Amino acid sequence: MSDFATGREALAGVDPLFVDRWSPRALSNEPIDDAALHRIFEAARWAPSAYNEQPWTFYTSTTDTFASYLGMLVEGNQSWAKDAAIIGFLIGKKHLSKNGNDNGTYQLDCGAAWMSMSLQARLEGLYTHAMAGIKRDQVIDTLGLDPAQYSAVMGFTLAKLRAPEQLPAGLQARETPSDRKPLDEIWRR
């Protein structure tokens, strides 16, 4: 695990994996081992979902599609994501396969798959960074998906870390793990 999580504290007994996970921008374009990629997305495959729908699909860039994937991010994200090994998109299926009804939990289910893949990435020594700043309509169109059936839930990067000093000056100061709200602010009983 990294040294970056130093100073972030969780209650005793919480696995350090959760605390060590954060979303850096200083990323390396060093290729990622194919076996590690398979393990990362295999972990996502085992995430829970309503009715076992598994309404997620992860699309990841290749050498040939990287520039196209980068172009589907908003400009602010392009400035740092251009250096990542992989840019990806998490696509959610909006309707239940069994009857075509709206799947009111597809985004929650996609989030569970995202967290599973993110934690496995940390176990592999890699980092993920989720992005809301994507061009959703362009993602759906470029991937050839029906917007009535599918939603671009989020974009993400997957990579090894590199030195924060290589980031644009405005992002260097932000390149540190954030703390979390106190437990009593997020849990009521």
Side-chain angles (χ1 to χ4, degrees), residues 34 37 59-70 84-88:
D34 202 47
L37 285 174
Y59 287 81
T60 57
S61 63
T62 63
T63 303
D64 294 336
T65 62
F66 190 88
S68 172
Y69 277 52
L70 182 64
I86 292 175
I87 296 172

Side-chain angles (χ1 to χ4, degrees), residues 69-147:
Y69 277 52
L70 182 64
M72 292 186 273
L73 306 178
V74 298
E75 188 176 327
N77 286 333
Q78 288 181 24
S79 71
W80 58 268
K82 66 181 175 35
D83 297 318
I86 292 175
I87 296 172
F89 296 99
L90 175 52
I91 305 299
K93 185 176 178 216
K94 300 179 186 181
H95 300 93
L96 298 170
S97 296
K98 66 181 187 170
N99 58 19
N101 291 340
D102 285 344
N103 182 350
T105 64
Y106 82 90
Q107 290 179 320
L108 173 67
D109 297 343
C110 287
W114 159 251
M115 188 65 172
S116 295
M117 73 82 65
S118 292
L119 292 177
Q120 183 64 38
R122 283 304 303 123
L123 290 170
E124 302 287 343
L126 301 168
Y127 288 85
T128 57
H129 188 117
M131 295 176 280
I134 63 173
K135 301 171 185 173
R136 285 178 168 71
D137 293 341
Q138 185 180 344
V139 170
I140 293 299
D141 186 53
T142 299
L143 297 176
L145 301 171
D146 178 357

Side-chain angles (χ1 to χ4, degrees), residues 22-28 76-84 127-131 157 159-164 166-168 170-177:
W22 68 291
S23 302
R25 292 176 184 85
L27 302 172
S28 167
N77 286 333
Q78 288 181 24
S79 71
W80 58 268
K82 66 181 175 35
D83 297 318
Y127 288 85
T128 57
H129 188 117
M131 295 176 280
T157 55
K160 294 179 181 178
L161 284 181
R162 68 180 177 131
Q166 296 175 16
L167 283 171
L171 293 178
Q172 288 180 27
R174 296 173 53 193
E175 193 63 3
T176 184

